[in-house]
Amino acid sequence: MPANYTTNYNFPALIFGILLIIFIICGNVLVCMSVYTEKALKTTTNYFIVSLAVADLLLAVLVLPLFVYTEFQDGVWSLNMTICDGLMTMDVMLCTASIFNLCAISIDRFIAVSIPLNYNRKHVDQRQIVLLSATWILALAVASPVMFGINNVPNRDHSECKLEDNNYVIYSSVCSFFMPCPIMLLLYFGMFRGLRNWEEARKAKLRSSMQACKKLQEAAASLQPLAGLPSPVIEKDLTDITLEELDRDQYQDDGPYQANCKDGGVSMLAYPGGSYNEDQNQNRHRKGAKINGRERKAMRVLPVVVGAFLFCWTPFFVVHTLRALCEECDIPSYVTSIVTWLGYVNSALNPIIYTVFNTEFRKFFRKFLPTLPNCC
């Protein structure tokens, strides 16, 4: 080796990579532990989130250390090419599994919104087992050509670890991103549309029941002197009630307010010493309201999910596909490095996105992170 030879070590990449690995591991381990230990979190939706967390966790353990090591050496691969092929196999499979799990979650959410009364939240049924299994089987199928030697091309540069076959790069990009992405967007669009139609129907039903509720209030107030009951407390005007309050009142079994409007399901009267008995037919309506209310709250996170997914993965697949399609195009190495880092960052964002909006997840996280801000 010449005396003046120097190796360009990338220390910022090393520091950032170590922090990213720690963050991904801690976040996804907490997600898995929370679902395993907390009974309230043992739902089918959270099992999909655990599958996503496992994919991201394996990515941080099996892929990122070698990737960070290569970046630290300024992109130069100094290890055995067999290790490189193993790295590429795990990289493709786990990144694809992470994306497929995001797609599976969108399918699961779509089913929950479309047929809420037939959706099993507490136990994994056959349909969900098939969906979970398919994410990993398909991810392995996408990565299998690397495992079977597609990277062994003539005149291979041993100082660089990458996918050598451009046709395979295009194939894996289509399977891993360009197909799941529109499926996710269409499913989320369908969910937004379905919930919007549901809310419009609920508002129409609420408006049609206002007159009946007002009459019930007037009748109750006029009967108080005869019945010897204290005067009812009118909590608020019916025109001010929101859908969130409507859902809460309809399935709040233990609270001081009970549903008094049989047709509209609006709880507006409170008695200091007692309450009305609910009609048995309210149970089904209350169950439906509770399910739809939960799904509407869960939908608040979807713009964040889609936004983070597209922000992290679109540049990566566009750059790598462009490089495969246009061999003459000069794409700087730092651009490839940045978009690759950005894709890996998504594995750190996933546990945040899927837990910060969930009350039960936040409670569990606070047990391990007592200094967590109240806003989180």
Side-chain angles (χ1 to χ4, degrees), residues 192-210:
F192 278 117
R193 187 173 182 179
L195 285 175
R196 184 181 60 188
N197 293 339
W198 174 81
E199 288 193 354
E200 290 175 355
R202 294 279 288 164
K203 289 178 181 178
K205 185 178 180 181
L206 178 61
R207 284 192 295 267
S208 66
S209 65
M210 282 183 179

Side-chain angles (χ1 to χ4, degrees), residues 273-294:
S275 63
Y276 286 106
N277 290 325
E278 293 184 6
D279 189 272
Q280 292 182 353
N281 291 331
Q282 286 281 343
N283 291 334
R284 170 175 289 187
H285 297 297
R286 185 168 65 244
K287 180 181 179 182
K290 184 174 182 179
I291 291 173
N292 283 286
R294 183 191 293 111

Side-chain angles (χ1 to χ4, degrees), residues 5-316:
Y5 177 83
T6 58
T7 302
N8 296 321
Y9 292 117
N10 191 341
F11 285 97
L14 177 64
I15 296 172
F16 179 76
I18 292 174
L19 292 176
L20 181 63
I21 291 172
I22 294 174
F23 197 89
I24 292 175
I25 291 175
C26 292
N28 288 287
V29 166
L30 282 176
V31 169
C32 296
M33 288 178 58
S34 60
V35 176
Y36 179 76
T37 59
E38 297 293 321
K39 184 178 180 181
L41 292 174
K42 293 183 184 297
T43 64
T44 52
T45 299
N46 290 340
Y47 293 144
F48 282 93
I49 294 178
V50 168
S51 179
L52 173 65
V54 170
D56 292 335
L57 186 60
L58 291 175
L59 184 73
V61 173
L62 301 177
V63 175
L64 276 178
L66 288 175
F67 172 77
V68 172
Y69 175 73
T70 306
E71 288 291 296
F72 173 64
Q73 292 193 315
D74 204 24
V76 177
W77 180 259
S78 60
L79 301 177
N80 188 282
M81 298 313 293
T82 303
I83 299 177
C84 173
D85 291 342
L87 174 64
M88 289 294 98
T89 302
M90 297 305 298
D91 190 15
V92 173
M93 188 186 78
L94 294 175
C95 288
T96 303
S98 182
I99 297 172
F100 281 1
N101 273 291
L102 289 171
C103 191
I105 290 172
S106 67
I107 296 173
D108 176 72
R109 295 289 80 213
F110 180 79
I111 295 173
V113 170
S114 302
I115 48 173
L117 293 178
N118 295 328
Y119 180 80
N120 192 339
R121 283 174 173 75
K122 293 299 181 182
H123 303 286
V124 178
D125 58 24
Q126 185 176 2
R127 176 180 55 201
Q128 291 152 343
I129 292 175
V130 170
L131 190 57
L132 278 170
S133 302
T135 59
W136 289 94
I137 295 173
L138 292 176
L140 179 60
V142 172
S144 61
V146 183
M147 186 169 50
F148 292 124
I150 199 173
N151 250 14
N152 295 327
V153 296
N155 302 320
R156 183 178 183 182
D157 186 0
H158 286 210
S159 67
E160 190 175 11
C161 183
K162 63 177 184 178
L163 295 175
E164 300 290 343
D165 191 297
N166 288 333
N167 291 327
Y168 175 73
V169 172
I170 298 172
Y171 158 78
S172 61
S173 297
V174 170
C175 294
S176 301
F177 180 79
F178 292 110
M179 286 180 59
C181 184
I183 292 175
M184 287 177 60
L185 293 177
L186 288 174
L187 289 173
Y188 285 145
F189 175 76
M191 281 184 277
F192 278 117
R193 187 173 182 179
L195 285 175
R196 184 181 60 188
N197 293 339
W198 174 81
E199 288 193 354
E200 290 175 355
R202 294 279 288 164
K203 289 178 181 178
K205 185 178 180 181
L206 178 61
R207 284 192 295 267
S208 66
S209 65
M210 282 183 179
Q211 289 299 324
C213 289
K214 288 181 179 179
K215 291 180 181 180
L216 177 61
Q217 290 176 347
E218 294 171 357
S222 64
L223 290 175
Q224 299 315 306
L226 298 177
L229 293 173
S231 298
V233 180
I234 309 300
E235 295 297 322
K236 61 174 71 179
D237 189 80
L238 284 169
T239 58
D240 296 330
I241 193 169
T242 64
L243 282 171
E244 285 78 7
E245 294 169 317
L246 178 60
D247 288 332
R248 183 179 65 248
D249 289 333
Q250 278 196 299
Y251 63 82
Q252 185 177 15
D253 296 329
D254 301 325
Y257 310 113
Q258 300 294 329
N260 298 307
C261 254
K262 181 176 180 180
D263 295 329
V266 182
S267 172
M268 300 309 301
L269 302 182
Y271 291 92
S275 63
Y276 286 106
N277 290 325
E278 293 184 6
D279 189 272
Q280 292 182 353
N281 291 331
Q282 286 281 343
N283 291 334
R284 170 175 289 187
H285 297 297
R286 185 168 65 244
K287 180 181 179 182
K290 184 174 182 179
I291 291 173
N292 283 286
R294 183 191 293 111
E295 302 308 336
R296 190 179 64 250
K297 291 177 181 178
M299 287 292 291
R300 295 172 182 172
V301 72
L302 296 185
V304 183
V305 173
V306 176
F309 171 77
L310 294 177
F311 176 78
C312 291
W313 284 114
T314 302
F316 173 86

